[in-house]
Amino acid sequence: MIVVLKPDAKEAKVDALKKKISELGVKINYSKGTDTTILGLIGETQAIDIHKLRSNEIVEKVIRVQEPYKKANRAFHPQDTIVNVDGVPIGEGHFTMIAGPCSVESEEQIVGIAKAVKAAGAKILRGGAFKPRTSPYSFQGMGPAGLELLLAAKKETGLPIVTEIMDLSQIPAFDHVDMIQVGARNMQNFTLLKELGRLHKPILLKRGLSATMKELLMAAEYIMAGGNEDIVLCERGIRTFEVATRNTLDLSCIPVLKRKTHLPVIVDPSHATGLSWAVESMAKASIAAGADGLMIEVHNNPEEALCDGDQAITPNQFEHIMQKLKQYAAIEEKAI
Ligand code: PEP
Ligand code: MN
């Protein structure tokens, strides 16, 4: 339930109303924007007398929210959320570039790529230390040693790092990671989501392989329900009957999600297509569709990459794409 307050509502009256509502055992999500102040009510709102609430002198209107996601709902928070990743903003007015290899392979590799993508304009470094591979015989990532190398690359370049977590037991090891990635395969790992909700750290939540937008938003709600509201959603392609691309990039999810949620939405054209030569066009299209940023896999030697070489672009190609993207972002009046 949403309670929209009158613009001239006095603080003391707002506090009194909040007190009255919380006495009914309902949680309040307070959101004060430039034009509107909203009380988002979460919990057993059935007990609330909507007519009585409407007649309160500081209440402008009361709306029942049908969707099961509340904190992620734009109705609860009309302004766009900007997530801060160690000083780098993601969201409204910004177009944030995240780049790096699929997997961390060596210090030379990760530091070299970090320097190259930073020079081209990337703001955050990606790289997997723990890899969710389809085959148990494939390279599983360097593990904790990979996290150390990411931190070394951060020290060298100043770029914040984002890397994927696979399960609960790894949380302590992610202490110095700036943003934790929840991969497509873990989008509905509710135990993990609940624990991440207790952290004060930005989360990059990727859409599940066959997850609907509603399921993605409910996964975000799991994290937010615990108190962590710094979430960036990532469209990375979904399973369809088409096999010419690794997945099918659902660009239409961007305008739809933007209406439904205030959370930033970025696109990963690398996993969406699985084809290095398709990354540039899908990256441009993502800007036009209203994305808040991109996550692109970049490898110094894609042919020898230990993971996802077919979709990786080289630092030179990334540099070239960045030049184009800067022009596209300018059209959308976003700082890249
Ligand atoms: C990744 O980003 O390296 C990754 C494994 O992505 P996804 O979870 O989208 O498959
Ligand atoms: Mn990958």
Side-chain angles (χ1 to χ4, degrees), residues 69-72 165 171 180-183 186-206 215-233 263:
Y69 46 92
K70 310 292 179 191
K71 288 191 159 191
I165 196 163
I171 290 181
I180 300 179
Q181 176 174 325
V182 175
N186 260 318
M187 190 204 83
Q188 284 187 320
N189 180 341
F190 300 119
T191 323
L192 178 62
L193 300 179
K194 277 187 198 170
E195 267 326 293
L196 296 177
R198 291 193 214 265
L199 305 183
H200 299 283
K201 210 183 262 299
I203 307 293
L204 179 62
L205 180 62
K206 298 188 93 176
E215 286 164 342
L216 173 60
L217 291 169
M218 288 311 290
E221 189 77 13
Y222 257 94
I223 303 171
M224 297 177 93
N228 185 357
E229 302 188 0
D230 288 332
I231 300 168
V232 175
L233 305 176
L263 298 172

Side-chain angles (χ1 to χ4, degrees), residues 101-103 126 131 246 271 297 307-308 311:
C102 180
S103 313
R126 68 147 284 148
K131 297 303 304 175
R246 183 177 181 183
H271 290 88
E297 286 191 346
C307 184
D308 287 352
Q311 66 195 37

Side-chain angles (χ1 to χ4, degrees), residues 8-76:
D8 56 355
K10 296 271 178 300
E11 208 177 312
K13 299 241 159 119
V14 176
D15 287 344
L17 179 62
K18 279 164 74 180
K19 188 163 173 278
K20 224 190 242 170
I21 295 171
S22 23
E23 278 166 9
L24 296 168
V26 172
K27 278 206 178 127
I28 303 174
N29 199 60
Y30 180 73
S31 164
K32 190 169 171 54
T34 36
D35 307 321
T36 40
T37 303
I38 284 171
L39 303 181
L41 312 189
I42 304 167
E44 289 304 317
T45 54
Q46 305 302 335
I48 295 174
D49 184 337
I50 200 161
H51 301 290
K52 219 165 159 186
L53 198 52
R54 274 190 185 126
S55 61
N56 187 300
E57 58 176 317
I58 62 163
V59 171
E60 181 135 322
K61 59 181 171 184
V62 182
I63 310 157
R64 278 212 186 270
V65 176
Q66 305 302 334
E67 293 90 358
Y69 46 92
K70 310 292 179 191
K71 288 191 159 191
N73 203 312
R74 191 176 275 286
F76 271 59

Side-chain angles (χ1 to χ4, degrees), residues 38-228:
I38 284 171
L39 303 181
L41 312 189
I42 304 167
E44 289 304 317
T45 54
Q46 305 302 335
I48 295 174
D49 184 337
I50 200 161
H51 301 290
K52 219 165 159 186
L53 198 52
R54 274 190 185 126
S55 61
N56 187 300
E57 58 176 317
I58 62 163
V59 171
E60 181 135 322
K61 59 181 171 184
V62 182
I63 310 157
R64 278 212 186 270
V65 176
Q66 305 302 334
E67 293 90 358
Y69 46 92
K70 310 292 179 191
K71 288 191 159 191
N73 203 312
R74 191 176 275 286
F76 271 59
H77 191 286
Q79 320 89 276
D80 284 333
T81 283
I82 298 179
V83 173
N84 183 320
V85 183
D86 194 32
V88 174
I90 307 182
E92 222 238 318
H94 305 276
F95 193 82
T96 312
M97 294 298 296
I98 304 174
C102 180
S103 313
V104 180
E105 297 173 7
S106 69
E107 179 159 0
E108 196 188 358
Q109 175 240 23
I110 191 69
V111 174
I113 294 173
K115 285 182 179 166
V117 297
K118 182 184 178 181
K123 294 292 187 309
I124 299 175
L125 175 67
R126 68 147 284 148
F130 301 94
K131 297 303 304 175
R133 303 303 300 277
T134 302
S135 165
Y137 307 117
S138 303
F139 174 58
Q140 303 285 307
M142 290 182 75
L147 291 180
E148 290 304 318
L149 296 185
L150 280 167
L151 291 172
K154 177 180 181 177
K155 204 166 167 197
E156 192 82 26
T157 59
L159 289 179
I161 52 175
V162 57
T163 190
E164 180 169 353
I165 196 163
M166 301 256 291
D167 71 70
L168 278 183
S169 66
Q170 294 164 349
I171 290 181
F174 279 62
D175 220 25
H176 300 292
V177 167
D178 301 296
M179 182 182 221
I180 300 179
Q181 176 174 325
V182 175
R185 291 154 191 83
N186 260 318
M187 190 204 83
Q188 284 187 320
N189 180 341
F190 300 119
T191 323
L192 178 62
L193 300 179
K194 277 187 198 170
E195 267 326 293
L196 296 177
R198 291 193 214 265
L199 305 183
H200 299 283
K201 210 183 262 299
I203 307 293
L204 179 62
L205 180 62
K206 298 188 93 176
R207 184 176 181 182
L209 275 75
S210 49
T212 63
M213 294 182 218
K214 189 170 165 187
E215 286 164 342
L216 173 60
L217 291 169
M218 288 311 290
E221 189 77 13
Y222 257 94
I223 303 171
M224 297 177 93
N228 185 357

